[in-house]
Amino acid sequence: MTNRIIFSIVIAAFLLLHASSVYAEDEDSIYDERMALFKKTEALTQIPWYYFAAIDNYERNIKNSDEPEQVISIGFPTELWFGPGNSSQIIEEAIIDTFDGKGKDGNGDGKADPTNEEDVLYTMAMLILEYGPTKDDIKIALWNHYQRDLTVQTIMNTAKVFETFQDINLTDRDFPVSINHNYSYRNTWGDRRGFGGLRIHEGTDIFANYGVPVQSTTYGVIEMMGWNLYGGWRIGIRDIFNIYHYYAHMSGYDDNIKLGQVVKPGDVLGSVGSTGYGPPGTSGKFPPHLHYGMYKDNGYSEWSFDPYPYLRKWERMARDKR
């Protein structure tokens, strides 16, 4: 190999490493910028920052992923912001007030600009404070704004996660069964299922022995526990990206797990089993495995999607941490 080729390889590797470093720094920077805005709005309104962070996170994750990422993703209907009759969309706060618009000036320039992050967050705070500052008041305000129970539930769960970890940059993941044990899986999403009527398989089956630990793949809140005719003993976790993670056929739960609990990647939820396909207590109708499903919410509906590509990625991440 010539010196010129070696030099070219070294330069290419350096540029790739530098580009990755710059991307990571940019990503960290946008999280820092968001947190600073959330904290400033908290100081102005006395509403805890993690509620603004959760609302913003929810709205970001119902938008088209092809859109450029904004610092703040909260948006308001035009008529709500400017007021009925303000067809010219004048942004002076006094004019907006005249037209009974909700847009507020958050940075002290006298204008309520729906493209200004401080104005947007302050406006959301004022909408909340119309109902009061308590947790229950905030839930009522969110329901009146979004008119959807699942949206309120998701935002409150995300706020609980952010409050627990005092951070919004929560991107770590883990594999749903312990990689220290033997297991196998393939892409089974969409396969035909017959029990309970013809339907598709909404997940990936991870085969492992009885008792192999089942663990959280993500940061989130345990939203559902108990017996299901199809899934046996199962757990549902709502994460901070508007995704519901479904774990089924477990042999039981970890003693420390309870409904409403905040979890992080790697937290043990229970163990692999073969429960389900019958009334409570039914077990052994199929080999032991974990059924793992993922469901995305776009603010209007929730649907199943293939978890297999994510499992492959999280498996690599888990092995890299060993």
Side-chain angles (χ1 to χ4, degrees):
M1 186 179 292
T2 66
N3 290 338
R4 179 175 295 179
I5 294 174
I6 293 173
F7 178 75
S8 298
I9 293 173
V10 170
I11 290 298
F14 170 79
L15 291 174
L16 181 61
L17 182 63
H18 179 69
S20 299
S21 176
V22 169
Y23 175 79
E25 288 176 4
D26 287 346
E27 191 174 27
D28 289 343
S29 175
I30 199 168
Y31 282 111
D32 291 342
E33 191 173 352
R34 284 172 187 153
M35 184 64 90
L37 288 165
F38 299 147
K39 291 289 186 71
K40 179 179 179 180
T41 310
E42 176 187 62
L44 288 172
T45 66
Q46 304 307 302
I47 297 173
W49 66 267
Y50 41 83
Y51 289 113
F52 302 117
I55 296 166
D56 177 59
N57 213 57
Y58 171 80
E59 294 213 13
R60 179 171 300 105
N61 285 287
I62 63 173
K63 296 182 187 303
N64 189 330
S65 59
D66 294 333
E67 296 177 6
E69 185 168 353
Q70 305 294 318
V71 177
I72 298 298
S73 294
I74 298 171
F76 296 90
T78 299
E79 187 172 278
L80 177 68
W81 183 279
F82 292 103
N86 187 359
S87 57
S88 299
Q89 298 182 10
I90 299 169
I91 63 173
E92 276 72 18
E93 186 179 39
I95 301 298
I96 290 175
D97 284 344
T98 300
F99 284 98
D100 294 323
K102 298 295 185 179
K104 299 297 180 186
D105 169 27
N107 62 359
D109 65 358
K111 298 179 179 9
D113 183 352
T115 66
N116 180 277
E117 292 94 351
E118 293 178 70
D119 291 356
V120 167
L121 289 171
Y122 189 69
T123 297
M124 179 56 73
M126 293 301 101
L127 284 176
I128 290 172
L129 289 177
E130 288 181 10
Y131 299 88
T134 70
K135 181 179 177 180
D136 286 341
D137 293 333
I138 292 170
K139 288 177 70 174
I140 293 169
L142 291 173
W143 194 91
N144 279 282
H145 183 62
Y146 291 103
Q147 298 282 302
R148 186 168 180 256
D149 289 336
L150 182 56
T151 296
V152 176
Q153 183 173 306
T154 300
I155 290 171
M156 297 303 289
N157 281 348
T158 300
K160 192 174 181 179
V161 173
F162 289 157
E163 179 187 14
T164 299
F165 294 102
Q166 290 294 299
D167 195 4
I168 57 174
N169 189 2
L170 303 174
T171 57
D172 191 24
R173 293 290 183 271
D174 212 328
F175 196 64
V177 303
S178 169
I179 62 171
N180 296 320
H181 295 74
N182 292 326
Y183 63 88
S184 65
Y185 68 106
R186 62 181 180 85
N187 192 348
T188 55
W189 190 87
D191 288 357
R192 290 163 65 93
R193 288 292 183 270
F195 180 81
L198 190 62
R199 55 197 172 90
I200 71 163
H201 188 238
E202 296 184 344
T204 294
D205 288 336
I206 305 172
F207 290 87
N209 290 328
Y210 288 105
V212 169
V214 171
Q215 41 193 42
S216 176
T217 60
T218 185
Y219 293 91
V221 174
I222 297 176
E223 193 172 273
M224 178 270 297
M225 292 177 66
W227 183 270
N228 175 275
L229 177 69
Y230 302 102
W233 297 118
R234 86 286 198 231
I235 283 182
I237 295 174
R238 183 80 54 183
D239 77 6
I240 61 175
F241 299 103
N242 304 1
I243 294 174
Y244 180 76
H245 302 253
Y246 178 71
Y247 305 73
H249 307 314
M250 297 167 62
S251 63
Y253 305 123
D254 186 85
D255 290 341
N256 298 316
I257 290 299
K258 61 182 181 297
L259 199 64
Q261 180 177 333
V262 173
V263 294
K264 65 182 184 300
D267 281 355
V268 175
L269 307 173
S271 55
V272 171
S274 60
T275 60
Y277 282 23
T282 304
S283 181
K285 289 198 169 186
F286 40 76
H289 68 277
L290 174 72
H291 169 96
Y292 181 78
M294 296 174 70
Y295 298 79
K296 176 69 175 177
D297 174 45
N298 65 357
Y300 300 96
S301 60
E302 190 175 51
W303 69 94
S304 169
F305 64 97
D306 186 2
Y308 183 77
Y310 298 90
L311 292 172
R312 294 297 301 271
K313 178 181 178 181
W314 299 340
E315 184 181 31
R316 290 192 298 269
M317 291 174 67
R319 294 193 182 284
D320 288 344
K321 289 187 292 186
R322 292 178 67 176

